[in-house]
């Protein structure tokens, strides 16, 4: 259900304005990993931990932040090229 919501958000954003190449993929990765952070924080089973944080949660958080940085970089360069 979350993936369908992400797809709807991406389609809406694509129709709203012209996005640079790769922005849809960066948006998908960022939103999907963001949802994984929420889902992993609800889990109570045993898992590997790093500094007291579950590895799965930490990996999802890092990937989400990297994807948001990628998206921000793509959108920033798009604006600077059109100015």
């Amino acid at each position: 259900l979350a993936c369908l919501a992400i797809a709807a958000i991406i389609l809406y954003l694509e129709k709203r304005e012209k996005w640079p190449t790769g922005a849809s993929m960066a948006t998908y990765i960022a939103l999907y990993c963001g949802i994984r952070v929420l889902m992993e924080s609800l889990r109570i089973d045993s898992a590997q931990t790093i500094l007291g944080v579950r590895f799965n949660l930490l990996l999802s958080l890092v990937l989400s932040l990297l994807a948001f940085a990628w998206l921000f970089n793509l959108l920033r360069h798009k604006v600077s090229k059109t100015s």
Side-chain angles (χ1 to χ4, degrees):
L1 189 59
C3 289
L4 291 176
I6 292 171
I9 291 169
I10 291 172
L11 289 174
Y12 170 75
L13 292 173
E14 283 182 344
K15 288 191 184 286
R16 203 172 116 215
E17 65 179 72
K18 179 79 172 120
W19 273 34
T21 303
S24 295
M25 186 64 181
T27 303
Y28 178 78
I29 294 171
L31 293 177
Y32 180 79
C33 288
I35 290 171
R36 290 299 308 165
V37 167
L38 295 174
M39 299 307 251
E40 290 295 335
S41 66
L42 296 174
R43 294 180 68 174
I44 58 172
D45 60 334
S46 61
Q48 296 290 331
T49 59
I50 297 175
L51 300 173
V53 179
R54 293 170 53 94
F55 176 74
N56 303 344
L57 177 71
L58 191 59
L59 180 63
S60 295
L61 182 63
V62 168
L63 290 176
S64 182
L65 292 174
L66 287 174
F68 274 118
W70 178 28
L71 178 62
F72 176 74
N73 188 34
L74 287 172
L75 294 176
R76 186 182 63 175
H77 286 302
K78 176 193 169 225
V79 171
S80 66
K81 287 181 183 176
T82 59
S83 299

